[in-house]
């Protein structure tokens, strides 16, 4: 959530940055400012009446003690008017604050100055490309056919049990999943992240705190009876561990990681590009979250990007890094890097990670602060990144490593899988 004070002092810049993000309701900025002005005026009036009432109460006490009861009664007779005014102004202020809150949460985060203009994924900026694309024979199979051939994943069983987008992993397919999760968590631990095991359901306050609500409720699975939401990513419960927390300066950076299943409705997704593991409703992911001093957040963002790239390099997967354009960024992000791996059988890039800096957008909602060197509290910066999401990693591992003799397991995973080949 943007800070009202920043909008008030930087209106033109806010409108300029929202335009980069292709925001369709710029009029909300002036609506927020109008409500903010009303709020401040009403607060000032309420403070004035309250001060007058408090002064009168003090004066009444003094008059009563000096036996000037008639004067005291005269002033006391006005107290009901003050009480009524205070009640009326308080109700008016509460209504204005509620309307202001409803408006300001509709404003997305402002994109960083380095974010390119653009609307579609095709307008994202390619930062770098690493590795050689494998040259597969003409009869190479896509991962969903490889999964069937080697009895690794059963998509139809998932449909029977739950529905489309809920695959069943079998045999070496299940072991490969488990191996990747353990590998990613071990690498996170080496990088200084503290692991968390987390609830898969969160309350509305948690969804609001990280910005999924009210923006993404249509993409989240909702348990109506209990008003709980299945998590779309471990970012939500991990970051909310620090809701309403004031950290000490020497506690920063906070570095947490966690493995969870993730649930996304992905409404409207269809077509060839969502076949197999390309787009699921339930998938596994290891997530990294950091809470940092604002002075260091963009340096940390680069470090997190390098960590993800290191995982892809160790797996031997060709990849590229994209800086997302304004129109392709999330509601909450100030700057996002996407990492994509090359699917040799499908002949296209598949997104496997997003690493984002949210600056104070989430921490303002969460009331997540730290006490700086001067002893004053200020909002921290939050960041998160997938390290990594498994489905498309599995897809590209299967496709890129297929041979006539089977599928070769990357060397770094063999200690985890305890087999070198899928055959």
């Amino acid at each position: 959530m943007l800070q009202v004070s920043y909008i008030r002092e930087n209106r033109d810049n806010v409108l300029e940055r929202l335009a980069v993000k292709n925001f369709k309701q710029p009029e909300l900025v002036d609506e927020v400012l109008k409500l903010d002005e009303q709020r401040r005026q009403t607060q000032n009036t309420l403070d004035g009446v309250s001060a007058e009432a408090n002064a009168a109460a003090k004066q009444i006490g003094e008059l009563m003690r000096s036996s000037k009861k008639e004067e005291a009664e005269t002033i006391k007779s006005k107290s009901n008017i003050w009480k009524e005014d205070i009640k009326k102004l308080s109700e008016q202020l509460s209504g204005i604050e509620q309307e202001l809150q409803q408006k300001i949460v509709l404003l997305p985060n402002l994109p960083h100055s380095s974010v390119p203009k653009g609307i579609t994924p095709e307008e994202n900026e390619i930062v770098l490309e690493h590795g050689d694309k494998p040259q597969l024979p003409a009869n190479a199979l896509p991962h969903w056919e490889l999964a069937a051939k080697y009895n690794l994943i059963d998509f139809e069983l998932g449909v029977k049990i739950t529905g489309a987008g809920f695959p069943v992993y079998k045999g070496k397919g299940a072991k490969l999943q488990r191996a990747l999760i353990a590998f990613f968590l071990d690498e996170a631990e080496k990088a200084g992240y503290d692991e968390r095991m987390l609830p898969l359901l969160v309350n509305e306050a948690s969804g609001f705190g990280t910005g999924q609500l009210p923006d993404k409720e249509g993409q989240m699975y909702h348990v109506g009876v209990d008003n709980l939401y299945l998590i779309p990513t471990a970012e939500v419960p991990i970051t909310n561990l620090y809701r309403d927390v004031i950290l000490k300066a020497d506690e920063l950076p906070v570095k947490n990681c966690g493995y969870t299943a993730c649930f996304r409705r992905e409404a409207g997704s269809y077509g060839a590009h969502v076949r197999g593991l390309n787009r699921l409703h339930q998938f596994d992911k290891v997530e990294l979250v950091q809470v940092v001093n604002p002075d260091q957040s963009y340096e940390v963002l680069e470090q997190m990007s390098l960590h993800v790239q290191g995982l892809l390099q160790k797996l031997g997967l060709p990849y590229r890094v994209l800086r997302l354009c304004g129109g392709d960024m999330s509601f909450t992000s100030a700057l996002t890097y996407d990492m994509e791996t090359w699917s040799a059988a499908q002949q296209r890039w598949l997104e496997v990670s997003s690493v984002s800096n949210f600056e104070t957008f989430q921490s303002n909602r969460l009331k997540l602060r730290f006490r700086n060197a001067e002893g004053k509290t200020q909002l921290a910066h939050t960041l998160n990144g997938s390290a990594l999401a498994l489905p498309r990693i599995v897809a590209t591992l299967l496709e890129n490593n297929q041979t006539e003799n089977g599928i070769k397991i990357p060397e770094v995973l063999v200690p985890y899988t305890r087999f070198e080949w899928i055959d």
Side-chain angles (χ1 to χ4, degrees):
M1 185 170 66
L2 300 179
Q3 297 178 68
V4 180
S5 58
Y6 184 86
I7 300 172
R8 188 192 314 132
E9 296 164 10
N10 301 276
R11 174 188 176 275
D12 292 344
N13 178 257
V14 168
L15 288 169
E16 181 182 326
R17 300 315 299 162
L18 288 177
V20 172
K21 219 165 191 181
N22 199 37
F23 184 57
K24 300 296 187 182
Q25 296 176 278
E27 67 278 1
L28 275 176
V29 171
D30 285 332
E31 291 176 21
V32 164
L33 291 176
K34 182 179 178 181
L35 287 166
D36 176 52
E37 179 63 25
Q38 291 176 8
R39 178 187 63 82
R40 290 189 293 142
Q41 288 180 354
T42 305
Q43 184 69 66
N44 287 338
T45 303
L46 175 60
D47 290 345
V49 174
S50 297
E52 191 175 355
N54 290 337
K58 184 178 179 181
Q59 187 179 7
I60 289 169
E62 292 172 351
L63 290 170
M64 293 293 286
R65 284 192 293 273
S66 58
S67 301
K68 297 180 179 179
K69 294 184 179 181
E70 289 186 13
E71 292 183 43
E73 290 298 328
T74 300
I75 297 173
K76 192 183 294 186
S77 65
K78 299 178 182 179
S79 63
N80 288 335
I81 298 174
W82 284 319
K83 287 180 182 177
E84 190 61 34
D85 286 346
I86 289 171
K87 180 183 177 183
K88 182 178 178 182
L89 286 166
S90 296
E91 290 174 351
Q92 185 179 343
L93 180 62
S94 178
I96 293 170
E97 288 176 338
Q98 186 176 3
E99 188 177 358
L100 175 60
Q101 177 74 1
Q102 290 170 347
K103 297 282 187 183
I104 199 167
V105 298
L106 299 177
L107 294 175
N109 200 1
L110 303 180
H112 187 262
S113 58
S114 67
V115 171
K117 292 182 179 180
I119 299 173
T120 66
E122 290 71 31
E123 295 170 278
N124 293 333
E125 177 187 333
I126 299 174
V127 177
L128 64 87
E129 194 169 316
H130 182 276
D132 298 323
K133 297 176 182 177
Q135 300 300 315
L136 299 182
N139 63 347
L141 301 176
H143 69 270
W144 53 88
E145 293 186 24
L146 291 167
K149 178 180 178 179
Y150 294 104
N151 198 26
L152 304 174
I153 306 167
D154 195 318
F155 294 100
E156 294 307 316
L157 269 181
V159 172
K160 173 185 175 181
I161 296 168
T162 308
F166 296 88
V168 174
Y169 297 87
K170 303 163 66 177
K172 287 187 175 181
K175 288 181 173 64
L176 178 59
Q177 284 277 114
R178 179 156 49 91
L180 283 164
I181 292 164
F183 169 62
F184 294 153
L185 286 172
D186 284 352
E187 292 297 303
E189 183 181 9
K190 291 176 187 176
Y193 288 88
D194 193 17
E195 185 177 348
R196 297 286 185 267
M197 293 193 71
L198 305 149
L200 301 182
L201 287 158
V202 293
N203 55 31
E204 194 170 319
S206 294
F208 174 81
T210 45
Q212 279 72 28
L213 299 175
D215 180 56
K216 290 286 190 297
E217 60 264 56
Q219 293 295 323
M220 297 173 73
Y221 286 97
H222 184 220
V223 183
V225 174
D226 301 300
N227 195 28
L228 297 173
Y229 294 84
L230 282 166
I231 62 169
T233 166
E235 167 203 345
V236 181
I238 292 178
T239 312
N240 272 278
L241 295 173
Y242 303 96
R243 175 158 35 104
D244 297 318
V245 169
I246 299 176
L247 296 164
K248 298 175 183 177
D250 60 6
E251 292 180 292
L252 300 179
V254 170
K255 300 174 71 173
N256 288 160
C257 69
Y259 152 69
T260 65
C262 303
F263 304 88
R264 299 181 188 180
R265 294 186 64 241
E266 300 286 7
S269 298
Y270 60 91
H273 284 185
V274 300
R275 285 195 69 175
L277 297 172
N278 289 343
R279 189 68 59 85
L280 300 177
H281 295 306
Q282 178 182 326
F283 61 95
D284 294 320
K285 183 153 68 82
V286 171
E287 191 78 359
L288 308 178
V289 172
Q290 290 207 40
V291 180
V292 305
N293 188 304
D295 295 339
Q296 300 166 350
S297 66
Y298 280 95
E299 178 183 347
V300 169
L301 180 66
E302 299 301 325
Q303 293 170 1
M304 293 176 75
S305 171
L306 290 174
H307 177 84
V308 174
Q309 292 179 54
L311 298 177
L312 296 172
Q313 291 169 19
K314 289 175 181 179
L315 291 172
L317 293 174
Y319 68 89
R320 67 179 185 179
V321 179
L322 305 177
R323 181 184 285 109
L324 296 194
C325 68
D328 198 34
M329 290 172 63
S330 74
F331 182 84
T332 52
S333 176
L335 177 60
T336 295
Y337 291 122
D338 271 6
M339 284 69 171
E340 299 179 334
T341 57
W342 177 251
S343 165
Q346 299 178 71
Q347 288 290 295
R348 68 189 189 94
W349 293 100
L350 301 177
E351 179 199 334
V352 294
S353 175
S354 285
V355 181
S356 300
N357 188 351
F358 305 106
E359 296 187 355
T360 61
F361 193 81
Q362 289 182 334
S363 59
N364 192 28
R365 288 172 171 238
L366 295 160
K367 293 182 173 58
L368 166 52
R369 295 159 290 172
F370 73 101
R371 204 171 296 280
N372 61 26
E374 290 75 38
K376 296 180 180 179
T377 58
Q378 68 177 96
L379 294 171
H381 279 194
T382 61
L383 304 94
N384 84 280
S386 314
L388 286 159
L390 271 72
R392 295 171 189 167
I393 290 292
V394 171
T396 52
L397 283 176
L398 297 180
E399 293 179 1
N400 294 7
N401 295 322
Q402 61 182 297
T403 73
E404 292 181 359
N405 300 318
I407 301 170
K408 184 79 167 67
I409 297 297
E411 185 177 343
V412 73
L413 290 181
V414 172
Y416 296 93
T417 59
R418 297 192 296 278
F419 54 83
E420 298 181 15
W421 288 87
I422 295 173
D423 50 25

